[in-house]
Amino acid sequence: MCGIVGAFLATGPVTPVLLDGLRVLEYRGYDSAGLALADGTSQGVRVIKSEGRIANLDNRLAETPLDFDAEDLCAGIGHTRWATHGPPSDVNAHPHGGTGTRLALVHNGIIENYTELKAELQSAGVTFRSDTDSEVLAHLIERALEEAGDLVEAVRSILGRLEGYYALAVLDRHGGRNQLVCARSGPPLALCSTPGGTYLASDILALVAHSNRVVFLDDGDIGRLQANGFEIWDKDGRPAERLATTVEFNSAEAGLGHWPHFMLKEIFEQPDVLARTAFGRIAASGDDVDFEDERLGGDTLADVQRVQVIACGTALHAGQIAAYLIEGLAGIPTDVDFASEFRYRSPCLVPGTLALCISQSGETADTLAAARLAVKHGARLVSICNVDGSSQVRESEGVVLTHAGPEIGVASTKAFTAQLVSAVLLAVRLGRSRESLSREDAAEVLSELRILRSKMGSLLTKEYVEDIKHLARSHMEQTGFLFLGRGVNFPVALEGALKLKEISYMHAEGYAAGEMKHGPIALIDSGMSVFVINAAGPLAGKVRANMEQVQARGGRVVCVGSDPESLTATEEALAVPETLEWLSPILNTIPLQLFAYHVARLRGCDIDKPRNLAKSVTVE
Ligand code: G6P
């Protein structure tokens, strides 16, 4: 949410480097984009920005002759915005300057006490140009810089006055000298250095084009970039060494290739993601899971009495499925809560509680805050996360990394199924560690997990996808959608509805199939499409009965799953290969992702950048 980039090169021009970085980070917000460049001619900083997508900024740059030698442009910062304070507009776009032209600033986060700070600055004669909280930072730093002279000192001197959270970068040009400084408290900020220059970004995705060795700032850190490297100071002003993380993927993997959308590319990557996430962790004996390398060996999983799952959005749906798995396979009582709710509860966690936080990015503000609260109340923290080196990974005692690779589409797909695979592995390990799961049952789950890769592949064939496209075409005029599921497939129904509404803007609701008769049944008519997810297994008969209740009231039912009787009882169906009940969510999700994708495509929606959403929500 909001993307920040910055670069200090040995030789310019920096503009294309910043624009490439912003393009990679555009998924974090696309309300506006802007650059600030050290201007060799006027001895100040030049800001060029525009409301809307980066394409608008490109146009503005084309219209703005930079009347200084492009080769001089070695230092700059950039921003892509997800609006919090003030509507999307040119003036609210970052970077923001102070009263003069010597500096400009980009910010991700929220300054909660900005109204007081703004009033104080206004009474000292400062005129504000934007409605943002971030502009306050530019003025405060500008004033501090007049006294301190050194940008690191100026930034440090104002941080203590801020309430809220920030990742920020400031560019100053004065007396022929460029200074580029960044700071972080809350949202992520990473740095890397190469012989050609030094770079900063909110997300390692924007750094891998330069280096696969990146360093994350810790909370409270301040960094100074120069062309030949960077220095970091901790919150107490002491020089700090931060360990470098090696990024596993390369910049090509973060590209679109021949695909029309990242979402489609990522849906099709799922069989390989399953293999990467699961296969190397299945013990040679085939009846257990080996997490030894992931801080999950030893006693981290010993003596777990209760599990508290915490997550947001799609990751929460993975967490709800994880709860069924942990109770079903390991016999451990498990609760699930939205991170945004949990963080303000007074949780009564029993001794031996394992807080299981699930997050693609590892930077979701609510999930991080909820995790910290759980730890404060005595829980041990284990995370399922896709980004090594992220805040959540660094704060966790144990981690199961999902090897989904970079996920760019705002609507999460491959990260979700990788979270489900990880939850299966974790549930099996927990079950084996307390012997509540027999060796035979563990072996059955794990060998079926191996076979699942090819079963997933059967849902991605040309013919299968054509059937889904046809279904999408015939349902795109419906007034609404209901997704029903039971047991381990109830959260699949929630996820099916979420996928459809977030990218196609059609109204969709997910519901527990057995609960439908207590309300949503009133909505049923022929304009309402009802997707019933029904996997062969102990609950299939119950779900079939719920489906018949919809059919009896004229609802338009589409059955998704492997229950043969349900599939033949409906005119419209998407058959899914049979598997163990515990693994069925991994398969059942895929046709729902493809259905949402094709409805959105037919409706002409911006699939990878749905309106109002951001992929990584680093503000509350
Ligand atoms: C946002 C995204 C969702 C994602 C959720 C949690 O709302 O749009 O796709 O599921 O954040 O993100 P996380 O990175 O914690 O999984």
Side-chain angles (χ1 to χ4, degrees):
M1 155 161 295
C2 292
I4 292 178
V5 292
F8 202 138
L9 306 182
T11 55
V14 78
T15 317
V17 173
L18 297 174
L19 286 171
D20 284 350
L22 286 185
R23 279 192 195 97
V24 175
L25 295 190
E26 201 176 15
Y27 71 86
R28 295 178 72 94
Y30 23 94
D31 289 331
S32 62
L35 301 180
L37 307 165
D39 177 341
T41 305
S42 73
Q43 298 301 331
V45 167
R46 175 81 66 91
V47 173
I48 302 144
K49 54 189 186 177
S50 174
E51 183 188 342
R53 304 288 165 97
I54 291 168
N56 296 1
L57 177 62
D58 285 332
N59 294 338
R60 185 134 310 166
L61 278 162
E63 294 159 4
T64 316
L66 296 172
D67 51 4
F68 43 104
D69 183 358
E71 287 299 318
D72 279 349
L73 294 173
C74 339
I77 53 177
H79 189 269
T80 175
R81 179 171 187 242
W82 188 85
T84 58
H85 294 76
S89 68
D90 283 1
V91 279
N92 288 332
H94 296 222
H96 293 287
T99 306
T101 57
R102 70 174 284 184
L103 66 73
L105 166 140
V106 290
H107 168 223
N108 168 206
I110 291 180
I111 304 304
E112 288 165 352
N113 60 337
Y114 88 102
T115 28
E116 293 148 55
L117 296 169
K118 188 169 178 173
E120 179 191 309
L121 286 160
Q122 282 169 324
S123 64
V126 172
T127 306
F128 279 78
R129 286 185 284 264
S130 76
D131 313 312
T132 65
D133 54 339
S134 312
E135 192 184 344
V136 163
L137 300 173
H139 289 289
L140 286 174
I141 294 170
E142 182 186 56
R143 292 163 79 85
L145 192 56
E146 276 161 24
E147 285 190 18
D150 177 69
L151 188 56
V152 171
E153 286 311 315
V155 170
R156 182 176 296 124
S157 71
I158 68 126
L159 295 182
R161 305 200 58 203
L162 308 181
E163 286 166 25
Y165 30 99
Y166 51 81
L168 59 86
V170 199
L171 176 68
D172 169 56
R173 181 171 175 89
H174 189 65
R177 173 176 173 227
N178 298 330
Q179 298 191 80
L180 177 48
V181 168
C182 58
R184 176 218 171 161
S185 179
L189 208 49
L191 305 173
C192 72
S193 182
T194 70
T198 306
Y199 308 85
L200 71 85
S202 316
D203 191 317
I204 52 177
L205 284 175
L207 297 180
V208 284
H210 310 296
S211 171
N212 72 340
R213 297 282 293 164
V214 302
V215 166
F216 284 89
L217 292 192
D218 273 4
D219 265 350
D221 281 356
I222 297 180
R224 185 210 301 275
L225 286 77
Q226 283 176 324
N228 60 357
F230 56 81
E231 298 159 275
I232 299 174
W233 293 268
D234 69 12
K235 60 180 181 344
D236 300 316
R238 289 180 301 231
E241 285 282 328
R242 301 288 173 229
L243 286 182
T245 302
T246 302
V247 182
E248 272 186 17
F249 54 85
N250 57 40
S251 51
E253 278 180 73
L256 193 54
H258 65 280
W259 296 90
H261 298 99
F262 279 106
M263 182 179 176
L264 194 64
K265 174 183 182 239
E266 289 159 4
I267 288 172
F268 274 77
E269 283 172 4
Q270 291 177 108
D272 289 344
V273 168
L274 175 136
R276 285 207 299 268
T277 301
F279 292 0
R281 287 157 166 159
I282 298 174
S285 58
D287 58 14
D288 206 341
V289 170
D290 185 352
F291 282 131
E292 278 304 317
D293 292 340
E294 312 185 46
R295 295 182 274 156
L296 270 175
D299 65 351
T300 306
L301 297 183
D303 203 27
V304 176
Q305 299 301 316
R306 218 176 169 93
V307 177
Q308 174 67 57
V309 184
I310 302 165
C312 298
T314 289
L316 180 86
H317 297 152
Q320 290 170 318
I321 294 168
Y324 285 98
L325 293 170
I326 294 167
E327 291 195 339
L329 291 171
I332 304 174
T334 304
D335 299 308
V336 195
D337 203 354
F338 300 96
S340 54
E341 286 299 314
F342 187 86
R343 66 180 290 184
Y344 293 114
R345 274 170 52 187
S346 307
C348 302
L349 302 182
V350 297
T353 295
L354 187 80
L356 176 61
C357 288
I358 306 181
S359 173
Q360 187 284 129
S361 62
E363 301 292 352
T364 300
D366 284 326
T367 308
L368 284 168
R372 287 171 191 148
L373 183 75
V375 170
K376 197 168 144 204
H377 283 258
R380 306 182 87 159
L381 178 60
V382 166
S383 288
I384 294 176
C385 189
N386 198 37
V387 181
D388 198 5
S390 61
S391 302
Q392 197 174 303
V393 165
R394 286 180 298 138
E395 291 183 26
S396 298
E397 180 177 331
V399 178
V400 182
L401 282 175
T402 47
H403 297 296
E407 191 181 64
I408 315 283
V410 167
S412 183
T413 52
K414 63 174 180 173
F416 176 69
T417 45
Q419 287 159 357
L420 297 185
V421 170
S422 303
V424 170
L425 298 173
L426 190 60
V428 168
R429 179 79 277 277
L430 283 165
R432 286 303 304 137
S433 68
R434 47 202 283 136
E435 301 198 353
S436 46
L437 184 68
S438 70
R439 284 190 182 283
E440 295 69 31
D441 288 348
E444 189 188 17
V445 171
L446 296 172
S447 71
E448 182 63 19
L449 195 56
R450 283 189 181 278
I451 301 169
L452 220 56
R453 182 190 198 176
S454 63
K455 291 186 179 175
M456 284 172 119
S458 75
L459 301 170
L460 297 168
T461 62
K462 197 161 181 293
E463 299 70 36
Y464 196 82
V465 174
E466 279 305 318
D467 285 349
I468 293 178
K469 270 193 213 170
H470 178 73
L471 196 71
R473 216 169 286 123
S474 75
H475 283 255
M476 61 181 282
E477 304 295 341
Q478 292 289 92
T479 50
F481 291 81
L482 201 55
F483 289 76
L484 302 177
R486 252 186 133 129
V488 77
N489 280 298
F490 161 48
V492 173
L494 298 178
E495 177 59 12
L498 179 66
K499 277 294 84 83
L500 186 62
K501 71 185 132 192
E502 65 184 344
I503 60 168
S504 79
Y505 318 139
M506 303 278 287
H507 184 250
E509 215 175 326
Y511 232 80
E515 189 66 13
M516 185 224 17
K517 56 187 173 291
H518 299 293
I521 200 164
L523 294 169
I524 304 289
D525 63 17
S526 59
M528 176 69 80
S529 298
V530 184
F531 279 64
V532 179
I533 297 115
N534 200 6
L539 287 175
K542 303 285 176 197
V543 178
R544 226 177 295 133
N546 299 139
M547 191 174 91
E548 281 158 14
Q549 290 159 3
V550 177
Q551 286 172 314
R553 285 158 183 84
R556 190 171 167 191
V557 174
V558 179
C559 177
V560 180
S562 57
D563 175 50
E565 286 179 53
S566 304
L567 290 167
T568 50
T570 52
E571 279 179 24
E572 297 175 296
L574 292 169
V576 170
E578 193 169 342
T579 183
L580 296 176
E581 185 200 8
W582 301 120
L583 303 183
S584 61
I586 300 172
L587 295 182
N588 290 338
T589 296
I590 293 178
L592 302 183
Q593 294 170 340
L594 284 166
F595 179 75
Y597 172 83
H598 283 292
V599 171
R601 197 162 172 178
L602 287 166
R603 287 167 60 85
C605 300
D606 190 347
I607 293 176
D608 285 335
K609 298 187 180 75
R611 70 182 178 212
N612 304 335
L613 293 177
K615 184 151 189 75
S616 183
V617 183
T618 54
V619 297
E620 193 176 350

